[in-house]
PDB file of all heavy atoms in Angstrom:
ATOM      1  N   ASP A   1     -46.726  50.076  52.368  1.00 74.00           N
ATOM      2  CA  ASP A   1     -45.841  51.249  52.381  1.00 74.00           C
ATOM      3  C   ASP A   1     -44.493  51.024  51.708  1.00 74.00           C
ATOM      4  O   ASP A   1     -43.874  51.950  51.186  1.00 74.00           O
ATOM      5  CB  ASP A   1     -45.638  51.772  53.792  1.00 74.00           C
ATOM      6  CG  ASP A   1     -46.877  52.410  54.362  1.00 74.00           C
ATOM      7  OD1 ASP A   1     -47.758  52.774  53.580  1.00 74.00           O
ATOM      8  OD2 ASP A   1     -47.007  52.505  55.616  1.00 74.00           O
ATOM      9  N   GLN A   2     -44.019  49.788  51.709  1.00 74.00           N
ATOM     10  CA  GLN A   2     -42.725  49.489  51.073  1.00 74.00           C
ATOM     11  C   GLN A   2     -42.800  49.403  49.547  1.00 74.00           C
ATOM     12  O   GLN A   2     -41.809  49.378  48.874  1.00 74.00           O
ATOM     13  CB  GLN A   2     -42.156  48.169  51.629  1.00 74.00           C
ATOM     14  CG  GLN A   2     -41.516  48.277  52.983  1.00 74.00           C
ATOM     15  CD  GLN A   2     -42.574  48.512  54.074  1.00 74.00           C
ATOM     16  OE1 GLN A   2     -43.565  47.832  54.125  1.00 74.00           O
ATOM     17  NE2 GLN A   2     -42.338  49.466  54.939  1.00 74.00           N
ATOM     18  N   SER A   3     -44.034  49.398  49.020  1.00 79.00           N
ATOM     19  CA  SER A   3     -44.167  49.304  47.568  1.00 79.00           C
ATOM     20  C   SER A   3     -44.201  50.656  46.906  1.00 79.00           C
ATOM     21  O   SER A   3     -44.327  50.763  45.672  1.00 79.00           O
ATOM     22  CB  SER A   3     -45.410  48.497  47.213  1.00 79.00           C
ATOM     23  OG  SER A   3     -46.583  49.151  47.682  1.00 79.00           O
ATOM     24  N   VAL A   4     -44.072  51.726  47.683  1.00 81.00           N
ATOM     25  CA  VAL A   4     -43.981  53.093  47.185  1.00 81.00           C
ATOM     26  C   VAL A   4     -42.509  53.502  47.292  1.00 81.00           C
ATOM     27  O   VAL A   4     -41.996  53.648  48.397  1.00 81.00           O
ATOM     28  CB  VAL A   4     -44.876  54.063  47.983  1.00 81.00           C
ATOM     29  CG1 VAL A   4     -44.727  55.460  47.431  1.00 81.00           C
ATOM     30  CG2 VAL A   4     -46.286  53.622  47.926  1.00 81.00           C
ATOM     31  N   ILE A   5     -41.852  53.650  46.177  1.00 79.00           N
ATOM     32  CA  ILE A   5     -40.425  53.905  46.182  1.00 79.00           C
ATOM     33  C   ILE A   5     -40.140  55.303  45.597  1.00 79.00           C
ATOM     34  O   ILE A   5     -40.460  55.552  44.419  1.00 79.00           O
ATOM     35  CB  ILE A   5     -39.659  52.831  45.362  1.00 79.00           C
ATOM     36  CG1 ILE A   5     -39.971  51.430  45.960  1.00 79.00           C
ATOM     37  CG2 ILE A   5     -38.184  53.102  45.323  1.00 79.00           C
ATOM     38  CD1 ILE A   5     -39.700  50.326  44.978  1.00 79.00           C
ATOM     39  N   ALA A   6     -39.513  56.128  46.383  1.00 81.00           N
ATOM     40  CA  ALA A   6     -39.060  57.433  45.878  1.00 81.00           C
ATOM     41  C   ALA A   6     -37.642  57.267  45.364  1.00 81.00           C
ATOM     42  O   ALA A   6     -36.803  56.767  46.072  1.00 81.00           O
ATOM     43  CB  ALA A   6     -39.124  58.478  46.997  1.00 81.00           C
ATOM     44  N   THR A   7     -37.407  57.687  44.112  1.00 80.00           N
ATOM     45  CA  THR A   7     -36.073  57.597  43.620  1.00 80.00           C
ATOM     46  C   THR A   7     -35.219  58.739  44.193  1.00 80.00           C
ATOM     47  O   THR A   7     -35.787  59.705  44.707  1.00 80.00           O
ATOM     48  CB  THR A   7     -36.084  57.659  42.048  1.00 80.00           C
ATOM     49  OG1 THR A   7     -36.678  58.862  41.647  1.00 80.00           O
ATOM     50  CG2 THR A   7     -36.810  56.451  41.494  1.00 80.00           C
ATOM     51  N   SER A   8     -33.913  58.641  44.023  1.00 69.00           N
ATOM     52  CA  SER A   8     -33.077  59.726  44.528  1.00 69.00           C
ATOM     53  C   SER A   8     -33.338  61.011  43.743  1.00 69.00           C
ATOM     54  O   SER A   8     -33.671  60.932  42.544  1.00 69.00           O
ATOM     55  CB  SER A   8     -31.604  59.382  44.443  1.00 69.00           C
ATOM     56  OG  SER A   8     -31.227  59.190  43.094  1.00 69.00           O
ATOM     57  N   TYR A   9     -33.268  62.136  44.396  1.00 61.00           N
ATOM     58  CA  TYR A   9     -33.600  63.401  43.772  1.00 61.00           C
ATOM     59  C   TYR A   9     -32.684  63.723  42.596  1.00 61.00           C
ATOM     60  O   TYR A   9     -33.086  64.249  41.616  1.00 61.00           O
ATOM     61  CB  TYR A   9     -33.594  64.543  44.828  1.00 61.00           C
ATOM     62  CG  TYR A   9     -34.131  65.820  44.288  1.00 61.00           C
ATOM     63  CD1 TYR A   9     -35.456  65.944  43.869  1.00 61.00           C
ATOM     64  CD2 TYR A   9     -33.311  66.939  44.203  1.00 61.00           C
ATOM     65  CE1 TYR A   9     -35.958  67.124  43.354  1.00 61.00           C
ATOM     66  CE2 TYR A   9     -33.808  68.141  43.696  1.00 61.00           C
ATOM     67  CZ  TYR A   9     -35.138  68.206  43.297  1.00 61.00           C
ATOM     68  OH  TYR A   9     -35.634  69.392  42.793  1.00 61.00           O
ATOM     69  N   VAL A  10     -31.408  63.345  42.744  1.00 58.00           N
ATOM     70  CA  VAL A  10     -30.430  63.613  41.697  1.00 58.00           C
ATOM     71  C   VAL A  10     -30.128  62.271  41.005  1.00 58.00           C
ATOM     72  O   VAL A  10     -30.003  61.250  41.646  1.00 58.00           O
ATOM     73  CB  VAL A  10     -29.125  64.203  42.300  1.00 58.00           C
ATOM     74  CG1 VAL A  10     -28.089  64.407  41.225  1.00 58.00           C
ATOM     75  CG2 VAL A  10     -29.429  65.485  43.040  1.00 58.00           C
ATOM     76  N   GLY A  11     -30.060  62.310  39.689  1.00 58.00           N
ATOM     77  CA  GLY A  11     -29.705  61.112  38.931  1.00 58.00           C
ATOM     78  C   GLY A  11     -30.842  60.079  38.890  1.00 58.00           C
ATOM     79  O   GLY A  11     -30.579  58.890  38.868  1.00 58.00           O
ATOM     80  N   ASP A  12     -32.072  60.576  38.850  1.00 61.00           N
ATOM     81  CA  ASP A  12     -33.195  59.635  38.885  1.00 61.00           C
ATOM     82  C   ASP A  12     -33.603  59.126  37.494  1.00 61.00           C
ATOM     83  O   ASP A  12     -34.575  58.394  37.345  1.00 61.00           O
ATOM     84  CB  ASP A  12     -34.414  60.266  39.593  1.00 61.00           C
ATOM     85  CG  ASP A  12     -34.945  61.502  38.892  1.00 61.00           C
ATOM     86  OD1 ASP A  12     -34.560  61.798  37.749  1.00 61.00           O
ATOM     87  OD2 ASP A  12     -35.759  62.213  39.523  1.00 61.00           O
ATOM     88  N   GLU A  13     -32.843  59.556  36.464  1.00 73.00           N
ATOM     89  CA  GLU A  13     -33.102  59.136  35.079  1.00 73.00           C
ATOM     90  C   GLU A  13     -34.523  59.451  34.615  1.00 73.00           C
ATOM     91  O   GLU A  13     -35.115  58.740  33.800  1.00 73.00           O
ATOM     92  CB  GLU A  13     -32.779  57.658  34.887  1.00 73.00           C
ATOM     93  CG  GLU A  13     -31.342  57.314  35.157  1.00 73.00           C
ATOM     94  CD  GLU A  13     -31.048  55.830  34.970  1.00 73.00           C
ATOM     95  OE1 GLU A  13     -31.878  55.101  34.380  1.00 73.00           O
ATOM     96  OE2 GLU A  13     -29.951  55.409  35.380  1.00 73.00           O
ATOM     97  N   GLY A  14     -35.107  60.530  35.136  1.00 81.00           N
ATOM     98  CA  GLY A  14     -36.426  60.947  34.679  1.00 81.00           C
ATOM     99  C   GLY A  14     -37.591  60.264  35.375  1.00 81.00           C
ATOM    100  O   GLY A  14     -38.745  60.463  34.976  1.00 81.00           O
ATOM    101  N   ILE A  15     -37.297  59.474  36.407  1.00 92.00           N
ATOM    102  CA  ILE A  15     -38.327  58.780  37.168  1.00 92.00           C
ATOM    103  C   ILE A  15     -38.252  59.272  38.603  1.00 92.00           C
ATOM    104  O   ILE A  15     -37.225  59.165  39.262  1.00 92.00           O
ATOM    105  CB  ILE A  15     -38.126  57.239  37.141  1.00 92.00           C
ATOM    106  CG1 ILE A  15     -38.054  56.699  35.711  1.00 92.00           C
ATOM    107  CG2 ILE A  15     -39.172  56.559  37.988  1.00 92.00           C
ATOM    108  CD1 ILE A  15     -39.346  56.825  34.941  1.00 92.00           C
ATOM    109  N   ASP A  16     -39.346  59.854  39.092  1.00 90.00           N
ATOM    110  CA  ASP A  16     -39.366  60.386  40.478  1.00 90.00           C
ATOM    111  C   ASP A  16     -39.861  59.357  41.503  1.00 90.00           C
ATOM    112  O   ASP A  16     -39.556  59.496  42.678  1.00 90.00           O
ATOM    113  CB  ASP A  16     -40.255  61.639  40.567  1.00 90.00           C
ATOM    114  CG  ASP A  16     -39.691  62.793  39.743  1.00 90.00           C
ATOM    115  OD1 ASP A  16     -38.460  62.903  39.675  1.00 90.00           O
ATOM    116  OD2 ASP A  16     -40.486  63.568  39.163  1.00 90.00           O
ATOM    117  N   GLY A  17     -40.570  58.370  41.041  1.00 91.00           N
ATOM    118  CA  GLY A  17     -41.067  57.322  41.951  1.00 91.00           C
ATOM    119  C   GLY A  17     -41.548  56.141  41.230  1.00 91.00           C
ATOM    120  O   GLY A  17     -41.823  56.171  40.009  1.00 91.00           O
ATOM    121  N   ILE A  18     -41.627  55.020  41.950  1.00 91.00           N
ATOM    122  CA  ILE A  18     -42.117  53.770  41.364  1.00 91.00           C
ATOM    123  C   ILE A  18     -43.110  53.240  42.359  1.00 91.00           C
ATOM    124  O   ILE A  18     -42.882  53.146  43.555  1.00 91.00           O
ATOM    125  CB  ILE A  18     -40.954  52.758  41.169  1.00 91.00           C
ATOM    126  CG1 ILE A  18     -39.895  53.385  40.272  1.00 91.00           C
ATOM    127  CG2 ILE A  18     -41.489  51.460  40.606  1.00 91.00           C
ATOM    128  CD1 ILE A  18     -38.579  52.581  40.236  1.00 91.00           C
ATOM    129  N   ILE A  19     -44.240  52.795  41.840  1.00 91.00           N
ATOM    130  CA  ILE A  19     -45.248  52.119  42.626  1.00 91.00           C
ATOM    131  C   ILE A  19     -45.307  50.667  42.215  1.00 91.00           C
ATOM    132  O   ILE A  19     -45.563  50.369  41.039  1.00 91.00           O
ATOM    133  CB  ILE A  19     -46.662  52.748  42.371  1.00 91.00           C
ATOM    134  CG1 ILE A  19     -46.713  54.250  42.623  1.00 91.00           C
ATOM    135  CG2 ILE A  19     -47.725  52.035  43.229  1.00 91.00           C
ATOM    136  CD1 ILE A  19     -46.508  54.654  44.054  1.00 91.00           C
ATOM    137  N   LYS A  20     -44.967  49.782  43.145  1.00 90.00           N
ATOM    138  CA  LYS A  20     -45.085  48.352  42.878  1.00 90.00           C
ATOM    139  C   LYS A  20     -46.497  47.925  43.143  1.00 90.00           C
ATOM    140  O   LYS A  20     -46.993  48.052  44.255  1.00 90.00           O
ATOM    141  CB  LYS A  20     -44.112  47.560  43.805  1.00 90.00           C
ATOM    142  CG  LYS A  20     -42.668  47.947  43.647  1.00 90.00           C
ATOM    143  CD  LYS A  20     -42.061  47.368  42.405  1.00 90.00           C
ATOM    144  CE  LYS A  20     -40.577  47.664  42.331  1.00 90.00           C
ATOM    145  NZ  LYS A  20     -39.973  47.231  41.145  1.00 90.00           N
ATOM    146  N   GLU A  21     -47.185  47.421  42.121  1.00 85.00           N
ATOM    147  CA  GLU A  21     -48.573  47.066  42.248  1.00 85.00           C
ATOM    148  C   GLU A  21     -48.814  45.674  42.829  1.00 85.00           C
ATOM    149  O   GLU A  21     -49.919  45.351  43.210  1.00 85.00           O
ATOM    150  CB  GLU A  21     -49.283  47.154  40.878  1.00 85.00           C
ATOM    151  CG  GLU A  21     -49.411  48.576  40.385  1.00 85.00           C
ATOM    152  CD  GLU A  21     -50.201  48.637  39.112  1.00 85.00           C
ATOM    153  OE1 GLU A  21     -49.689  48.205  38.055  1.00 85.00           O
ATOM    154  OE2 GLU A  21     -51.351  49.071  39.176  1.00 85.00           O
ATOM    155  N   ASP A  22     -47.794  44.871  42.828  1.00 84.00           N
ATOM    156  CA  ASP A  22     -47.933  43.529  43.421  1.00 84.00           C
ATOM    157  C   ASP A  22     -46.643  43.153  44.129  1.00 84.00           C
ATOM    158  O   ASP A  22     -45.587  43.771  43.934  1.00 84.00           O
ATOM    159  CB  ASP A  22     -48.307  42.503  42.345  1.00 84.00           C
ATOM    160  CG  ASP A  22     -47.205  42.368  41.302  1.00 84.00           C
ATOM    161  OD1 ASP A  22     -46.203  41.698  41.584  1.00 84.00           O
ATOM    162  OD2 ASP A  22     -47.382  42.942  40.208  1.00 84.00           O
ATOM    163  N   LYS A  23     -46.711  42.162  44.974  1.00 84.00           N
ATOM    164  CA  LYS A  23     -45.571  41.795  45.819  1.00 84.00           C
ATOM    165  C   LYS A  23     -44.358  41.246  45.055  1.00 84.00           C
ATOM    166  O   LYS A  23     -43.244  41.335  45.501  1.00 84.00           O
ATOM    167  CB  LYS A  23     -46.013  40.760  46.878  1.00 84.00           C
ATOM    168  CG  LYS A  23     -46.931  41.366  47.888  1.00 84.00           C
ATOM    169  CD  LYS A  23     -47.307  40.403  48.949  1.00 84.00           C
ATOM    170  CE  LYS A  23     -48.303  41.110  49.899  1.00 84.00           C
ATOM    171  NZ  LYS A  23     -48.466  40.451  51.160  1.00 84.00           N
ATOM    172  N   PHE A  24     -44.593  40.653  43.901  1.00 85.00           N
ATOM    173  CA  PHE A  24     -43.500  40.115  43.123  1.00 85.00           C
ATOM    174  C   PHE A  24     -42.880  41.150  42.172  1.00 85.00           C
ATOM    175  O   PHE A  24     -41.832  40.904  41.602  1.00 85.00           O
ATOM    176  CB  PHE A  24     -43.966  38.888  42.309  1.00 85.00           C
ATOM    177  CG  PHE A  24     -44.313  37.754  43.193  1.00 85.00           C
ATOM    178  CD1 PHE A  24     -45.638  37.302  43.254  1.00 85.00           C
ATOM    179  CD2 PHE A  24     -43.367  37.097  43.961  1.00 85.00           C
ATOM    180  CE1 PHE A  24     -45.981  36.230  44.093  1.00 85.00           C
ATOM    181  CE2 PHE A  24     -43.700  36.022  44.769  1.00 85.00           C
ATOM    182  CZ  PHE A  24     -44.995  35.594  44.823  1.00 85.00           C
ATOM    183  N   GLY A  25     -43.542  42.265  41.986  1.00 78.00           N
ATOM    184  CA  GLY A  25     -42.975  43.312  41.110  1.00 78.00           C
ATOM    185  C   GLY A  25     -43.283  43.097  39.670  1.00 78.00           C
ATOM    186  O   GLY A  25     -42.600  43.642  38.762  1.00 78.00           O
ATOM    187  N   PHE A  26     -44.301  42.286  39.336  1.00 85.00           N
ATOM    188  CA  PHE A  26     -44.690  42.093  37.940  1.00 85.00           C
ATOM    189  C   PHE A  26     -45.197  43.396  37.299  1.00 85.00           C
ATOM    190  O   PHE A  26     -44.955  43.640  36.133  1.00 85.00           O
ATOM    191  CB  PHE A  26     -45.797  41.029  37.800  1.00 85.00           C
ATOM    192  CG  PHE A  26     -45.274  39.617  38.043  1.00 85.00           C
ATOM    193  CD1 PHE A  26     -45.734  38.878  39.101  1.00 85.00           C
ATOM    194  CD2 PHE A  26     -44.328  39.085  37.202  1.00 85.00           C
ATOM    195  CE1 PHE A  26     -45.290  37.606  39.335  1.00 85.00           C
ATOM    196  CE2 PHE A  26     -43.863  37.786  37.438  1.00 85.00           C
ATOM    197  CZ  PHE A  26     -44.343  37.027  38.494  1.00 85.00           C
ATOM    198  N   ASN A  27     -45.906  44.192  38.077  1.00 88.00           N
ATOM    199  CA  ASN A  27     -46.474  45.434  37.557  1.00 88.00           C
ATOM    200  C   ASN A  27     -45.989  46.637  38.396  1.00 88.00           C
ATOM    201  O   ASN A  27     -46.071  46.621  39.599  1.00 88.00           O
ATOM    202  CB  ASN A  27     -47.991  45.399  37.626  1.00 88.00           C
ATOM    203  CG  ASN A  27     -48.568  44.406  36.679  1.00 88.00           C
ATOM    204  OD1 ASN A  27     -48.253  44.349  35.484  1.00 88.00           O
ATOM    205  ND2 ASN A  27     -49.435  43.530  37.171  1.00 88.00           N
ATOM    206  N   SER A  28     -45.477  47.597  37.668  1.00 92.00           N
ATOM    207  CA  SER A  28     -45.003  48.815  38.307  1.00 92.00           C
ATOM    208  C   SER A  28     -45.532  50.028  37.532  1.00 92.00           C
ATOM    209  O   SER A  28     -45.693  49.962  36.322  1.00 92.00           O
ATOM    210  CB  SER A  28     -43.497  48.882  38.365  1.00 92.00           C
ATOM    211  OG  SER A  28     -42.968  47.853  39.164  1.00 92.00           O
ATOM    212  N   ILE A  29     -45.779  51.097  38.265  1.00 94.00           N
ATOM    213  CA  ILE A  29     -46.149  52.386  37.652  1.00 94.00           C
ATOM    214  C   ILE A  29     -44.977  53.322  37.914  1.00 94.00           C
ATOM    215  O   ILE A  29     -44.527  53.503  39.046  1.00 94.00           O
ATOM    216  CB  ILE A  29     -47.426  52.951  38.314  1.00 94.00           C
ATOM    217  CG1 ILE A  29     -48.605  52.004  38.148  1.00 94.00           C
ATOM    218  CG2 ILE A  29     -47.751  54.327  37.709  1.00 94.00           C
ATOM    219  CD1 ILE A  29     -49.823  52.394  38.965  1.00 94.00           C
ATOM    220  N   TYR A  30     -44.489  53.925  36.835  1.00 95.00           N
ATOM    221  CA  TYR A  30     -43.362  54.854  36.925  1.00 95.00           C
ATOM    222  C   TYR A  30     -43.937  56.272  36.941  1.00 95.00           C
ATOM    223  O   TYR A  30     -44.822  56.586  36.147  1.00 95.00           O
ATOM    224  CB  TYR A  30     -42.395  54.669  35.760  1.00 95.00           C
ATOM    225  CG  TYR A  30     -41.717  53.323  35.877  1.00 95.00           C
ATOM    226  CD1 TYR A  30     -42.300  52.196  35.304  1.00 95.00           C
ATOM    227  CD2 TYR A  30     -40.527  53.177  36.578  1.00 95.00           C
ATOM    228  CE1 TYR A  30     -41.698  50.914  35.455  1.00 95.00           C
ATOM    229  CE2 TYR A  30     -39.914  51.923  36.705  1.00 95.00           C
ATOM    230  CZ  TYR A  30     -40.523  50.804  36.137  1.00 95.00           C
ATOM    231  OH  TYR A  30     -39.931  49.593  36.278  1.00 95.00           O
ATOM    232  N   VAL A  31     -43.469  57.080  37.860  1.00 96.00           N
ATOM    233  CA  VAL A  31     -44.074  58.367  38.122  1.00 96.00           C
ATOM    234  C   VAL A  31     -43.085  59.495  37.896  1.00 96.00           C
ATOM    235  O   VAL A  31     -41.906  59.418  38.273  1.00 96.00           O
ATOM    236  CB  VAL A  31     -44.544  58.435  39.600  1.00 96.00           C
ATOM    237  CG1 VAL A  31     -45.222  59.768  39.917  1.00 96.00           C
ATOM    238  CG2 VAL A  31     -45.488  57.290  39.903  1.00 96.00           C
ATOM    239  N   GLN A  32     -43.574  60.568  37.244  1.00 96.00           N
ATOM    240  CA  GLN A  32     -42.831  61.839  37.094  1.00 96.00           C
ATOM    241  C   GLN A  32     -43.713  62.931  37.700  1.00 96.00           C
ATOM    242  O   GLN A  32     -44.910  63.001  37.417  1.00 96.00           O
ATOM    243  CB  GLN A  32     -42.605  62.095  35.628  1.00 96.00           C
ATOM    244  CG  GLN A  32     -41.944  63.440  35.317  1.00 96.00           C
ATOM    245  CD  GLN A  32     -40.503  63.504  35.838  1.00 96.00           C
ATOM    246  OE1 GLN A  32     -40.260  64.027  36.894  1.00 96.00           O
ATOM    247  NE2 GLN A  32     -39.592  62.960  35.077  1.00 96.00           N
ATOM    248  N   ALA A  33     -43.124  63.719  38.568  1.00 95.00           N
ATOM    249  CA  ALA A  33     -43.853  64.825  39.263  1.00 95.00           C
ATOM    250  C   ALA A  33     -43.123  66.113  38.951  1.00 95.00           C
ATOM    251  O   ALA A  33     -41.953  66.303  39.293  1.00 95.00           O
ATOM    252  CB  ALA A  33     -43.866  64.562  40.755  1.00 95.00           C
ATOM    253  N   LYS A  34     -43.850  67.049  38.297  1.00 94.00           N
ATOM    254  CA  LYS A  34     -43.276  68.350  37.951  1.00 94.00           C
ATOM    255  C   LYS A  34     -44.060  69.480  38.634  1.00 94.00           C
ATOM    256  O   LYS A  34     -45.221  69.689  38.320  1.00 94.00           O
ATOM    257  CB  LYS A  34     -43.326  68.585  36.434  1.00 94.00           C
ATOM    258  CG  LYS A  34     -42.401  67.708  35.671  1.00 94.00           C
ATOM    259  CD  LYS A  34     -40.969  68.074  35.834  1.00 94.00           C
ATOM    260  CE  LYS A  34     -40.100  67.281  34.892  1.00 94.00           C
ATOM    261  NZ  LYS A  34     -38.703  67.326  35.291  1.00 94.00           N
ATOM    262  N   ARG A  35     -43.430  70.143  39.539  1.00 95.00           N
ATOM    263  CA  ARG A  35     -44.007  71.266  40.250  1.00 95.00           C
ATOM    264  C   ARG A  35     -43.643  72.523  39.447  1.00 95.00           C
ATOM    265  O   ARG A  35     -42.661  73.224  39.745  1.00 95.00           O
ATOM    266  CB  ARG A  35     -43.432  71.344  41.671  1.00 95.00           C
ATOM    267  CG  ARG A  35     -44.058  72.427  42.542  1.00 95.00           C
ATOM    268  CD  ARG A  35     -43.228  72.583  43.805  1.00 95.00           C
ATOM    269  NE  ARG A  35     -41.862  73.004  43.499  1.00 95.00           N
ATOM    270  CZ  ARG A  35     -41.389  74.242  43.566  1.00 95.00           C
ATOM    271  NH1 ARG A  35     -42.181  75.223  43.918  1.00 95.00           N
ATOM    272  NH2 ARG A  35     -40.162  74.528  43.251  1.00 95.00           N
ATOM    273  N   TRP A  36     -44.470  72.749  38.437  1.00 93.00           N
ATOM    274  CA  TRP A  36     -44.190  73.839  37.497  1.00 93.00           C
ATOM    275  C   TRP A  36     -45.300  74.878  37.443  1.00 93.00           C
ATOM    276  O   TRP A  36     -46.449  74.574  37.738  1.00 93.00           O
ATOM    277  CB  TRP A  36     -44.031  73.266  36.099  1.00 93.00           C
ATOM    278  CG  TRP A  36     -42.707  72.626  35.814  1.00 93.00           C
ATOM    279  CD1 TRP A  36     -41.679  72.457  36.685  1.00 93.00           C
ATOM    280  CD2 TRP A  36     -42.299  72.022  34.596  1.00 93.00           C
ATOM    281  NE1 TRP A  36     -40.639  71.812  36.069  1.00 93.00           N
ATOM    282  CE2 TRP A  36     -40.995  71.535  34.770  1.00 93.00           C
ATOM    283  CE3 TRP A  36     -42.897  71.879  33.343  1.00 93.00           C
ATOM    284  CZ2 TRP A  36     -40.293  70.899  33.758  1.00 93.00           C
ATOM    285  CZ3 TRP A  36     -42.210  71.247  32.355  1.00 93.00           C
ATOM    286  CH2 TRP A  36     -40.909  70.773  32.547  1.00 93.00           C
ATOM    287  N   ASN A  37     -44.930  76.078  37.027  1.00 92.00           N
ATOM    288  CA  ASN A  37     -45.918  77.164  36.778  1.00 92.00           C
ATOM    289  C   ASN A  37     -46.212  77.234  35.294  1.00 92.00           C
ATOM    290  O   ASN A  37     -47.157  77.886  34.870  1.00 92.00           O
ATOM    291  CB  ASN A  37     -45.341  78.506  37.205  1.00 92.00           C
ATOM    292  CG  ASN A  37     -45.445  78.680  38.701  1.00 92.00           C
ATOM    293  OD1 ASN A  37     -46.416  78.272  39.339  1.00 92.00           O
ATOM    294  ND2 ASN A  37     -44.408  79.258  39.299  1.00 92.00           N
ATOM    295  N   TRP A  38     -45.362  76.655  34.427  1.00 94.00           N
ATOM    296  CA  TRP A  38     -45.562  76.739  32.999  1.00 94.00           C
ATOM    297  C   TRP A  38     -46.088  75.424  32.431  1.00 94.00           C
ATOM    298  O   TRP A  38     -45.969  74.372  33.026  1.00 94.00           O
ATOM    299  CB  TRP A  38     -44.264  77.166  32.293  1.00 94.00           C
ATOM    300  CG  TRP A  38     -43.077  76.273  32.561  1.00 94.00           C
ATOM    301  CD1 TRP A  38     -42.721  75.189  31.795  1.00 94.00           C
ATOM    302  CD2 TRP A  38     -42.139  76.342  33.613  1.00 94.00           C
ATOM    303  NE1 TRP A  38     -41.615  74.584  32.335  1.00 94.00           N
ATOM    304  CE2 TRP A  38     -41.249  75.300  33.467  1.00 94.00           C
ATOM    305  CE3 TRP A  38     -41.983  77.232  34.697  1.00 94.00           C
ATOM    306  CZ2 TRP A  38     -40.186  75.079  34.346  1.00 94.00           C
ATOM    307  CZ3 TRP A  38     -40.944  77.018  35.571  1.00 94.00           C
ATOM    308  CH2 TRP A  38     -40.082  75.940  35.407  1.00 94.00           C
ATOM    309  N   THR A  39     -46.661  75.490  31.265  1.00 97.00           N
ATOM    310  CA  THR A  39     -47.303  74.353  30.612  1.00 97.00           C
ATOM    311  C   THR A  39     -46.294  73.281  30.234  1.00 97.00           C
ATOM    312  O   THR A  39     -45.211  73.622  29.716  1.00 97.00           O
ATOM    313  CB  THR A  39     -48.073  74.854  29.360  1.00 97.00           C
ATOM    314  OG1 THR A  39     -48.926  75.895  29.757  1.00 97.00           O
ATOM    315  CG2 THR A  39     -48.898  73.746  28.770  1.00 97.00           C
TER     316      THR A  39
END
């Protein structure tokens, strides 16, 4: 559960979350989530 990091809502520099795939942090997935009605 600690490897799922939600960035702050304001000033997140375009990254909404980070998933640490390993304990040392060698691999991370950067996440953007857009709750939009338009394409």
Side-chain angles (χ1 to χ4, degrees):
D1 288 341
Q2 282 70 48
S3 63
V4 178
I5 302 160
T7 58
S8 64
Y9 188 64
V10 178
D12 62 14
E13 297 180 13
I15 303 294
D16 294 326
I18 303 168
I19 305 291
K20 301 284 185 185
E21 292 185 286
D22 62 77
K23 291 184 182 195
F24 293 114
F26 287 117
N27 293 309
S28 295
I29 300 170
Y30 294 87
V31 181
Q32 176 67 262
K34 292 288 187 197
R35 185 191 61 99
W36 282 2
N37 283 320
W38 57 92
T39 306

